[in-house]
Amino acid sequence: MTATDIPSPPASQDPRPEGLDEAAVHRLVHTFYARVQKDALLGPIFGGRIAEDAWPVHLAKMCDFWSSVLLKSGRYEGRPLPPHLALGSDAGEPQFARWLALFRPTALEVLPPDAAQQAIAHAERMAYSFRLAIGFHKGEDTTRILPYGNG
């Protein structure tokens, strides 16, 4: 058998879960951050750093970020860790746990099941990675920081 005997996957084959597109990313981001803004723990943190009239810019940036993560669009250009490092005590275990506690049900509600599971897995891995980096910068014993969920 030669390389030419192996069939290639169709060019139209898309590895993304069905229903995961830009409109879905927009729904996820806007629904999630509407809940964040109303949350007793996270709302004041975001509200203290993002002026009311700056939310559209932040939401557009988050849509770019999640589009790049979930759709591999390459739209996000930036470094997401530095703003989180600047949060100091507002970026600890309780805040990351709450962020995920809001993100998971939002993803399950607004995305098709496979897309939701993919988004949640990405969110859990990012939260863990950010939590480790922030803990390291704070001088915490990062060996005690455990991964979130199954991601």
Side-chain angles (χ1 to χ4, degrees):
M1 181 180 278
T2 66
T4 57
D5 296 330
I6 301 171
S8 299
S12 64
Q13 189 175 32
D14 190 345
R16 293 181 296 198
E18 186 175 332
L20 184 55
D21 56 17
E22 292 292 349
V25 168
H26 185 273
R27 273 193 319 274
L28 174 65
V29 167
H30 284 256
T31 303
F32 173 67
Y33 281 100
R35 292 172 181 176
V36 164
Q37 287 178 287
K38 295 175 185 170
D39 187 72
L41 178 61
L42 299 178
I45 296 168
F46 281 82
R49 288 165 177 81
I50 302 171
E52 190 63 36
D53 62 348
W55 270 99
V57 172
H58 182 71
L59 291 171
K61 183 185 288 189
M62 293 300 93
C63 283
D64 289 346
F65 176 80
W66 282 102
S67 173
S68 291
V69 169
L70 296 173
L71 304 175
K72 310 293 186 241
S73 69
R75 286 195 350 228
Y76 179 77
E77 294 182 14
R79 295 175 44 222
L81 183 59
H84 292 86
L85 288 173
L87 291 172
S89 62
D90 284 339
E93 187 61 35
Q95 292 82 7
F96 278 100
R98 183 65 187 148
W99 189 91
L100 286 168
L102 290 175
F103 188 89
R104 289 179 185 116
T106 303
L108 290 167
E109 178 184 320
V110 303
L111 299 175
D114 289 345
Q117 291 306 321
Q118 182 179 348
I120 291 166
H122 277 288
E124 289 172 349
R125 286 191 302 272
M126 284 186 294
Y128 179 57
S129 176
F130 281 23
R131 180 71 184 94
L132 284 172
I134 291 166
F136 179 79
H137 278 79
K138 290 180 179 180
E140 295 177 27
D141 177 2
T142 56
T143 62
R144 298 183 187 278
I145 298 173
L146 301 175
Y148 297 102
N150 299 320

